[in-house]
Amino acid sequence: MSFNEKFDQHGVWRREFALRLKLLAEWMKDHDLLDAAVEEQLRRLESQVRSDKVMVAFVAEFSRGKSELINAIFFAGYGRRIMPASAGRTTMCPTELGYDVDVPPCLRLLPIETRLQKQALMEWRVVPEKWTRIDLDVNDPAQLARALEKVAEVRHVTQDEARALGFWHDNNPEDNPRVGPDGLIEVPKWRHALINIAHPLLKQGLVILDTPGLNAIGAEPELTVSLIPQAHAVVFILAADTGVTKSDLSIWREHLITEGDGTETRLVVLNKIDTLWDALSTPEQVQAQIDKQIATSAEILGLPRSQVIPVSAQKGLVAKVTGNEALLQASQLPALELALGQGVMGQRQKILRTAVAGGIGELKTEAGRAMHIRRRDLAEQMIELRSLRGKNVSVIKHMRSRIEQEQAEFDTSGAQIHAVRSVHLKLLRDVFNLLSTPTLKAELAELTHALKQPGIKLGVKKAYGKTFSRLREGLKKSQLLSGEIQSMLTASFRQLNAEFSFSLQAPKEPELIRYENDLELIKRSHLKYLGISNVLKLSQAEFSERLVRALATRLRMVYESALGEVELWNKSAASQLDAQLRERRRNFGRRLEAIERIQQAASGLDERIAEINDQEKVLNELDAKLMELTSHLLGAPSLPSTLQDATAATPNAALTEAA
Ligand SMILES: Nc1nc2c(ncn2[C@@H]2O[C@H](COP(=O)(O)OP(=O)(O)OP(=O)(O)O)[C@@H](O)[C@H]2O)c(=O)[nH]1
Ligand SMILES: [Mg+2]
């Protein structure tokens, strides 16, 4: 299966999942099983699957054919070249292609001058009015291609301006761009481009990142420390005729080497194999040349040969546009698409499904608990009613006053439950604090200070190390506190269970330690970035400023996820208490009502017992149905029979609506 097909299949699964989740939510609502924690869990699952994005980044030195390859893999359907690809430097700014329903098809461009301000790229993303917008007509490929030419636009500025924008460095002149005869320097006109089009793959959550060459990547720290490391796959492109050049190697070392796992998410493409096709050589001789280039490139990059894929993007594009099957095979593009499909999509699907399975498990536990309480209440009522069989009026009366007394006692115990809640919240506040934005900001203060010092900063690595070990300490402390809260909850719940025969169970605290891993990855991407060739750049205040900003935004994302987990945990504990209180109050009502009926008519008792029997049956059915609905959610992408029935008339309409 090619990448595109695999991605399509992934999309079908996600749409079905969303539909099934919606059905489950409605069903739970109908049966009064939707408490706050369940609702939150459902919301999370839905947004996790709906907003799941797969980012594929194309990274290489200029003119290796990144844009052409994107055209060939994703846009051949438009019948022409869509992304500008031409000799020399073409793509001047990082270009992200994706789809957001809430935004009309358009190209948004962030002016390069925004670099003079301190906001990080992530922060600019949320202020669309600061971007230049050009509407796109997806039905007019020529207009589309014309509009996209903007990403190649340049400006000519003085040396001072170029320096301020981060394109001129006095201390490593060999990297500086050429000065024109007029003394001006060519710089990109735009800092970042966002393309929003309803392309089928983009609609399903694919995000493509096209990047400019070496020095341009380095100029935007966010690209190096955030976008590229977070991409699910990176395609690194070499040219078959030149092999690995010095600057290819710098990009590879600086931006793409990942330690440990993750090598399957790095794909190396040996592009332009058509330049080796030659009428004077036999096909075997050509193949031998390609093989030799693969072997050398793999060796230099330290990869197995199987991970270097030969291809001709240009011939692949031409073949697809003209429908030339022989040329398509010769371009070897299908083999690359296959590798992308297996590697990237296979991985992504596995990860998403595992995450989703965890969420569904918790959902089942939450809903199961509500049913358990109901079942137990029914059983107790049954015992109570059976004990009334053949008893006289005064016994029944006595029973009534006993229930009323129990109810009154229970009502006064509200304070005790309230106390547990407030202790819980108070303790939680400390955890929230530890993971809050102000805390994070304070932790970063020292590093910010170190980076802001004028001149070359030899102590920066040390400052990074210290900052990250403090952040790790913070996480450890949050984990410790969470553990203490869990013990407190367990003890309080046990006490409440004993006193009121509740069946509360303290939910397991989140594993915040997990986020240490994220911290480690962030730290590594920063240190790697600083280590190689950027130490000199650090002497520039603007560069350091941008670096800290990029770091802060990335860390904030990690901390927000951690906070989200703590919140869900809190909701689960609170909603258990609420649910048991509510059920208990209802239970008193039902018991009193039963006594009333028994007092009014002799047949009342038997009728009520029969009713309880029925309710038990209904509960068993609910239980089975819950199992069924949740296991469907975990299943393979094919509609189960019940859903097929429900959507048989207009299956597509139902799916589209759910999506
Ligand atoms: N012969 C041949 N030329 C190719 C191939 N792929 C790309 N090219 C050409 O190489 C040139 C550069 O291609 P681009 O796609 O613009 O390269 P890029 O990596 O995006 O370069 P920048 O945007 O400058 O970073 C263009 O003229 C392409 O037509 C190929 O497979 N064979
Ligand atoms: Mg390009």
Side-chain angles (χ1 to χ4, degrees):
M1 214 184 278
S2 77
F3 179 79
N4 293 8
E5 285 164 339
K6 193 104 185 173
F7 200 88
D8 256 341
Q9 187 208 44
H10 184 58
V12 170
W13 177 79
R14 285 172 42 198
R15 277 199 302 280
E16 277 177 22
F17 186 90
L19 174 63
R20 287 175 185 166
L21 207 61
K22 210 170 133 201
L23 292 179
L24 176 67
E26 278 165 14
W27 176 84
M28 289 180 105
K29 195 163 177 204
D30 288 345
H31 295 92
D32 211 8
L33 290 170
L34 207 60
D35 65 29
V38 171
E39 219 168 339
E40 175 71 16
Q41 192 64 256
L42 279 168
R43 200 188 55 71
R44 268 163 196 257
L45 278 168
E46 197 267 338
S47 92
Q48 191 171 25
V49 172
R50 179 173 39 82
S51 63
D52 183 57
K53 298 266 182 212
V54 175
M55 186 187 265
V56 182
F58 289 74
V59 181
E61 184 53 303
F62 73 93
S63 216
R64 296 293 182 263
K66 298 176 291 282
S67 305
E68 192 77 327
L69 195 55
I70 292 173
N71 281 322
I73 300 177
F74 305 105
F75 298 119
Y78 288 113
R80 56 163 298 149
R81 191 169 272 132
I82 295 292
M83 299 287 283
S86 61
R89 275 177 211 279
T90 309
T91 313
M92 293 301 287
C93 65
T95 305
E96 248 177 275
L97 298 108
Y99 181 64
D100 176 352
V101 238
D102 301 325
V103 178
C106 66
L107 162 67
R108 272 171 299 168
L109 297 152
L110 185 66
I112 194 77
E113 293 75 27
T114 56
R115 283 232 184 125
L116 302 175
Q117 283 153 276
K118 58 184 182 186
Q119 284 87 341
L121 191 56
M122 295 289 172
E123 294 165 274
W124 287 107
R125 279 173 194 267
V126 293
V127 279
E129 64 277 7
K130 292 282 161 40
W131 297 60
T132 301
R133 203 180 100 180
I134 296 162
D135 289 324
L136 297 176
D137 182 358
V138 266
N139 297 314
D140 181 355
Q143 189 262 349
L144 195 58
R146 228 176 10 255
L148 297 195
E149 272 169 19
K150 290 259 175 227
V151 304
E153 286 183 340
V154 293
R155 281 190 48 199
H156 292 90
V157 299
T158 62
Q159 240 182 61
D160 285 341
E161 283 177 275
R163 190 179 297 115
L165 290 170
F167 292 105
W168 189 272
H169 304 282
D170 294 327
N171 26 34
N172 43 339
E174 67 275 18
D175 275 352
N176 286 338
R178 223 167 32 85
V179 184
D182 50 3
L184 294 181
I185 294 155
E186 191 180 274
V187 299
K189 182 162 179 197
W190 310 105
R191 181 177 179 187
H192 202 84
L194 291 170
I195 298 172
N196 191 54
I197 44 173
H199 178 282
L201 294 174
L202 303 183
K203 264 170 98 170
Q204 292 177 33
L206 176 68
V207 177
I208 301 166
L209 178 66
D210 190 6
T211 59
L214 173 63
N215 293 325
I217 312 180
E220 185 69 82
E222 211 142 336
L223 214 51
T224 322
V225 299
S226 193
L227 282 173
I228 297 175
Q230 282 179 305
H232 302 99
V234 179
V235 180
F236 178 62
I237 304 168
L238 300 166
D241 50 354
T242 55
V244 185
T245 66
K246 186 165 162 260
S247 58
D248 289 327
L249 199 57
S250 313
I251 294 191
W252 176 255
R253 290 204 177 129
E254 203 166 312
H255 303 284
L256 297 176
I257 295 180
T258 49
E259 285 111 74
D261 54 350
T263 45
E264 59 279 85
T265 60
R266 298 276 177 274
L267 221 54
V268 176
V269 170
L270 193 65
N271 188 30
K272 309 197 186 185
I273 52 167
D274 60 293
T275 56
L276 306 178
W277 300 348
D278 146 30
L280 301 181
S281 314
T282 64
E284 290 73 28
Q285 285 172 322
V286 172
Q287 191 54 48
Q289 278 199 59
I290 295 176
D291 289 344
K292 188 172 139 247
Q293 286 295 57
I294 291 177
T296 333
S297 308
E299 196 191 311
I300 297 177
L301 301 180
L303 289 174
R305 284 183 198 191
S306 58
Q307 229 160 303
V308 181
I309 302 172
V311 72
S312 166
Q314 194 194 58
K315 295 296 179 271
L317 175 64
V318 171
K320 280 187 178 179
V321 169
T322 57
N324 183 339
E325 186 55 35
L327 185 61
L328 185 63
Q329 290 312 320
S331 77
Q332 303 201 39
L333 190 62
L336 171 62
E337 292 179 343
L338 198 73
L340 262 177
Q342 305 294 352
V344 184
M345 287 314 301
Q347 277 277 355
R348 191 65 210 142
Q349 250 169 341
K350 234 192 276 162
I351 292 171
L352 185 64
R353 285 187 189 208
T354 315
V356 159
I360 291 172
E362 277 163 37
L363 188 82
K364 240 158 92 176
T365 316
E366 296 281 354
R369 199 167 5 238
M371 292 211 251
H372 171 76
I373 306 171
R374 283 186 210 174
R375 202 185 293 280
R376 212 200 44 210
D377 282 356
L378 285 179
E380 280 173 9
Q381 257 197 74
M382 193 66 133
I383 294 170
E384 188 171 280
L385 292 176
R386 287 218 171 104
S387 75
L388 289 180
R389 269 220 170 100
K391 295 287 164 20
N392 60 23
V393 182
S394 77
V395 174
I396 294 173
K397 224 177 178 172
H398 176 69
M399 174 75 86
R400 186 193 182 108
S401 62
R402 218 184 71 203
I403 297 175
E404 279 167 347
Q405 193 190 341
E406 246 180 73
Q407 189 178 26
E409 269 168 26
F410 182 74
D411 283 344
T412 58
S413 67
Q416 201 177 331
I417 291 165
H418 189 73
V420 172
R421 267 306 277 155
S422 67
V423 172
H424 180 207
L425 278 178
K426 190 170 159 289
L427 291 174
L428 266 178
R429 213 164 296 141
D430 294 338
V431 180
F432 281 136
N433 239 336
L434 275 172
L435 299 173
S436 71
T437 307
T439 306
L440 185 58
K441 214 168 176 179
E443 294 292 19
L444 287 180
E446 188 182 330
L447 180 62
T448 314
H449 182 73
L451 280 169
K452 275 189 183 155
Q453 294 308 303
I456 294 178
K457 295 138 189 142
L458 295 170
V460 162
K461 273 196 177 177
K462 213 161 142 200
Y464 263 96
K466 274 208 216 142
T467 304
F468 276 90
S469 64
R470 269 203 314 273
L471 291 175
R472 255 199 314 277
E473 280 311 307
L475 273 182
K476 283 212 177 84
K477 204 160 152 206
S478 320
Q479 184 72 72
L480 217 66
L481 277 175
S482 302
E484 283 169 16
I485 295 176
Q486 220 270 346
S487 312
M488 183 287 285
L489 277 182
T490 308
S492 315
F493 278 14
R494 196 181 297 135
Q495 200 184 344
L496 291 175
N497 287 347
E499 209 158 319
F500 306 108
S501 54
F502 281 160
S503 48
L504 296 164
Q505 197 179 9
K508 181 96 192 72
E509 76 271 24
E511 269 180 43
L512 301 172
I513 289 298
R514 208 157 39 80
Y515 292 99
E516 263 189 46
N517 228 347
D518 291 341
L519 288 187
E520 188 55 35
L521 286 178
I522 295 175
K523 182 177 128 191
R524 257 194 253 157
S525 70
H526 270 252
L527 288 185
K528 188 168 70 190
Y529 184 50
L530 292 179
I532 312 269
S533 58
N534 290 313
V535 173
L536 289 170
K537 285 194 198 150
L538 271 178
S539 55
Q540 278 190 319
E542 301 84 7
F543 182 83
S544 310
E545 179 88 42
R546 278 201 290 275
L547 199 64
V548 174
R549 281 268 169 170
L551 176 66
T553 9
R554 177 102 191 264
L555 286 173
R556 210 171 306 138
M557 278 158 71
V558 173
Y559 277 63
E560 271 166 19
S561 311
L563 265 180
E565 278 197 48
V566 176
E567 245 154 44
L568 185 63
W569 176 47
N570 168 36
K571 268 200 179 141
S572 166
S575 74
Q576 274 192 51
L577 273 172
D578 290 345
Q580 306 235 351
L581 276 175
R582 203 177 45 230
E583 289 285 343
R584 180 56 53 87
R585 293 210 174 99
R586 275 195 209 151
N587 185 27
F588 282 125
R590 279 194 293 264
R591 284 162 72 195
L592 287 171
E593 192 191 286
I595 298 283
E596 207 146 285
R597 273 166 60 186
I598 296 163
Q599 283 176 325
Q600 272 163 12
S603 58
L605 181 59
D606 288 329
E607 276 171 23
R608 183 66 195 143
I609 288 178
E611 263 174 36
I612 291 181
N613 271 328
D614 285 348
Q615 282 170 1
E616 268 170 358
K617 239 178 269 156
V618 170
L619 261 185
N620 287 339
E621 281 162 21
L622 281 186
D623 222 0
K625 188 78 186 169
L626 177 68
M627 285 296 170
E628 187 192 318
L629 288 175
T630 46
S631 68
H632 283 338
L633 274 171
L634 293 171
S638 69
L639 288 173
S641 55
T642 48
L643 273 184
Q644 258 161 7
D645 296 339
T647 59
T650 50
N652 288 334
L655 284 179
T656 334
E657 189 199 344

PDB file of all heavy atoms in Angstrom, residues 485-497:
ATOM      1  N   ILE A 485      -1.371  12.688  47.208  1.00  0.00           N
ATOM      2  CA  ILE A 485      -2.805  12.947  47.051  1.00  0.00           C
ATOM      3  C   ILE A 485      -3.547  11.636  46.849  1.00  0.00           C
ATOM      4  O   ILE A 485      -4.603  11.402  47.423  1.00  0.00           O
ATOM      5  CB  ILE A 485      -3.056  13.887  45.845  1.00  0.00           C
ATOM      6  CG1 ILE A 485      -2.434  15.252  46.130  1.00  0.00           C
ATOM      7  CG2 ILE A 485      -4.537  14.026  45.569  1.00  0.00           C
ATOM      8  CD1 ILE A 485      -2.535  16.226  44.979  1.00  0.00           C
ATOM      9  N   GLN A 486      -2.922  10.776  46.070  1.00  0.00           N
ATOM     10  CA  GLN A 486      -3.561   9.484  45.810  1.00  0.00           C
ATOM     11  C   GLN A 486      -3.739   8.707  47.115  1.00  0.00           C
ATOM     12  O   GLN A 486      -4.797   8.146  47.367  1.00  0.00           O
ATOM     13  CB  GLN A 486      -2.727   8.695  44.803  1.00  0.00           C
ATOM     14  CG  GLN A 486      -3.544   7.943  43.778  1.00  0.00           C
ATOM     15  CD  GLN A 486      -3.895   6.538  44.219  1.00  0.00           C
ATOM     16  OE1 GLN A 486      -3.308   6.053  45.183  1.00  0.00           O
ATOM     17  NE2 GLN A 486      -4.840   5.921  43.533  1.00  0.00           N
ATOM     18  N   SER A 487      -2.707   8.730  47.960  1.00  0.00           N
ATOM     19  CA  SER A 487      -2.819   8.011  49.245  1.00  0.00           C
ATOM     20  C   SER A 487      -3.912   8.632  50.097  1.00  0.00           C
ATOM     21  O   SER A 487      -4.700   7.924  50.735  1.00  0.00           O
ATOM     22  CB  SER A 487      -1.512   8.092  50.037  1.00  0.00           C
ATOM     23  OG  SER A 487      -0.450   7.783  49.218  1.00  0.00           O
ATOM     24  N   MET A 488      -3.967   9.971  50.102  1.00  0.00           N
ATOM     25  CA  MET A 488      -4.996  10.649  50.878  1.00  0.00           C
ATOM     26  C   MET A 488      -6.386  10.251  50.387  1.00  0.00           C
ATOM     27  O   MET A 488      -7.266   9.900  51.167  1.00  0.00           O
ATOM     28  CB  MET A 488      -4.786  12.162  50.738  1.00  0.00           C
ATOM     29  CG  MET A 488      -5.709  13.058  51.532  1.00  0.00           C
ATOM     30  SD  MET A 488      -7.402  13.181  50.935  1.00  0.00           S
ATOM     31  CE  MET A 488      -7.235  14.222  49.519  1.00  0.00           C
ATOM     32  N   LEU A 489      -6.546  10.256  49.068  1.00  0.00           N
ATOM     33  CA  LEU A 489      -7.847   9.893  48.496  1.00  0.00           C
ATOM     34  C   LEU A 489      -8.206   8.458  48.837  1.00  0.00           C
ATOM     35  O   LEU A 489      -9.339   8.160  49.216  1.00  0.00           O
ATOM     36  CB  LEU A 489      -7.825  10.053  46.974  1.00  0.00           C
ATOM     37  CG  LEU A 489      -8.058  11.447  46.406  1.00  0.00           C
ATOM     38  CD1 LEU A 489      -8.036  11.392  44.879  1.00  0.00           C
ATOM     39  CD2 LEU A 489      -9.399  12.014  46.867  1.00  0.00           C
ATOM     40  N   THR A 490      -7.210   7.579  48.718  1.00  0.00           N
ATOM     41  CA  THR A 490      -7.479   6.172  48.999  1.00  0.00           C
ATOM     42  C   THR A 490      -7.989   6.018  50.428  1.00  0.00           C
ATOM     43  O   THR A 490      -8.997   5.337  50.664  1.00  0.00           O
ATOM     44  CB  THR A 490      -6.197   5.336  48.803  1.00  0.00           C
ATOM     45  OG1 THR A 490      -5.681   5.635  47.512  1.00  0.00           O
ATOM     46  CG2 THR A 490      -6.467   3.858  48.900  1.00  0.00           C
ATOM     47  N   ALA A 491      -7.303   6.707  51.367  1.00  0.00           N
ATOM     48  CA  ALA A 491      -7.717   6.591  52.777  1.00  0.00           C
ATOM     49  C   ALA A 491      -9.106   7.191  52.987  1.00  0.00           C
ATOM     50  O   ALA A 491      -9.976   6.563  53.610  1.00  0.00           O
ATOM     51  CB  ALA A 491      -6.691   7.292  53.663  1.00  0.00           C
ATOM     52  N   SER A 492      -9.327   8.377  52.449  1.00  0.00           N
ATOM     53  CA  SER A 492     -10.635   9.021  52.645  1.00  0.00           C
ATOM     54  C   SER A 492     -11.748   8.220  52.000  1.00  0.00           C
ATOM     55  O   SER A 492     -12.831   8.075  52.553  1.00  0.00           O
ATOM     56  CB  SER A 492     -10.676  10.415  52.043  1.00  0.00           C
ATOM     57  OG  SER A 492      -9.545  11.128  52.359  1.00  0.00           O
ATOM     58  N   PHE A 493     -11.462   7.723  50.812  1.00  0.00           N
ATOM     59  CA  PHE A 493     -12.498   6.949  50.121  1.00  0.00           C
ATOM     60  C   PHE A 493     -12.809   5.676  50.907  1.00  0.00           C
ATOM     61  O   PHE A 493     -13.959   5.273  51.023  1.00  0.00           O
ATOM     62  CB  PHE A 493     -12.041   6.599  48.692  1.00  0.00           C
ATOM     63  CG  PHE A 493     -12.249   7.711  47.697  1.00  0.00           C
ATOM     64  CD1 PHE A 493     -12.524   9.011  48.116  1.00  0.00           C
ATOM     65  CD2 PHE A 493     -12.180   7.471  46.331  1.00  0.00           C
ATOM     66  CE1 PHE A 493     -12.718  10.047  47.207  1.00  0.00           C
ATOM     67  CE2 PHE A 493     -12.375   8.494  45.404  1.00  0.00           C
ATOM     68  CZ  PHE A 493     -12.640   9.781  45.842  1.00  0.00           C
ATOM     69  N   ARG A 494     -11.765   5.076  51.462  1.00  0.00           N
ATOM     70  CA  ARG A 494     -11.984   3.847  52.219  1.00  0.00           C
ATOM     71  C   ARG A 494     -12.910   4.128  53.395  1.00  0.00           C
ATOM     72  O   ARG A 494     -13.842   3.380  53.683  1.00  0.00           O
ATOM     73  CB  ARG A 494     -10.645   3.271  52.687  1.00  0.00           C
ATOM     74  CG  ARG A 494     -10.781   1.820  53.123  1.00  0.00           C
ATOM     75  CD  ARG A 494      -9.461   1.248  53.602  1.00  0.00           C
ATOM     76  NE  ARG A 494      -8.448   1.218  52.564  1.00  0.00           N
ATOM     77  CZ  ARG A 494      -7.181   1.592  52.730  1.00  0.00           C
ATOM     78  NH1 ARG A 494      -6.779   2.057  53.909  1.00  0.00           N
ATOM     79  NH2 ARG A 494      -6.321   1.515  51.756  1.00  0.00           N
ATOM     80  N   GLN A 495     -12.639   5.270  54.040  1.00  0.00           N
ATOM     81  CA  GLN A 495     -13.445   5.646  55.198  1.00  0.00           C
ATOM     82  C   GLN A 495     -14.900   5.902  54.782  1.00  0.00           C
ATOM     83  O   GLN A 495     -15.839   5.418  55.428  1.00  0.00           O
ATOM     84  CB  GLN A 495     -12.849   6.913  55.804  1.00  0.00           C
ATOM     85  CG  GLN A 495     -13.253   7.130  57.232  1.00  0.00           C
ATOM     86  CD  GLN A 495     -12.685   8.459  57.717  1.00  0.00           C
ATOM     87  OE1 GLN A 495     -11.781   9.032  57.082  1.00  0.00           O
ATOM     88  NE2 GLN A 495     -13.222   8.955  58.806  1.00  0.00           N
ATOM     89  N   LEU A 496     -15.061   6.626  53.708  1.00  0.00           N
ATOM     90  CA  LEU A 496     -16.419   6.905  53.230  1.00  0.00           C
ATOM     91  C   LEU A 496     -17.121   5.615  52.816  1.00  0.00           C
ATOM     92  O   LEU A 496     -18.310   5.433  53.067  1.00  0.00           O
ATOM     93  CB  LEU A 496     -16.388   7.873  52.045  1.00  0.00           C
ATOM     94  CG  LEU A 496     -15.968   9.310  52.341  1.00  0.00           C
ATOM     95  CD1 LEU A 496     -15.859  10.118  51.047  1.00  0.00           C
ATOM     96  CD2 LEU A 496     -16.952   9.992  53.282  1.00  0.00           C
ATOM     97  N   ASN A 497     -16.362   4.731  52.199  1.00  0.00           N
ATOM     98  CA  ASN A 497     -16.943   3.448  51.796  1.00  0.00           C
ATOM     99  C   ASN A 497     -17.464   2.682  53.008  1.00  0.00           C
ATOM    100  O   ASN A 497     -18.560   2.124  52.980  1.00  0.00           O
ATOM    101  CB  ASN A 497     -15.908   2.580  51.072  1.00  0.00           C
ATOM    102  CG  ASN A 497     -15.624   3.101  49.678  1.00  0.00           C
ATOM    103  OD1 ASN A 497     -16.351   3.948  49.166  1.00  0.00           O
ATOM    104  ND2 ASN A 497     -14.550   2.599  49.068  1.00  0.00           N
TER     105      ASN A 497
END
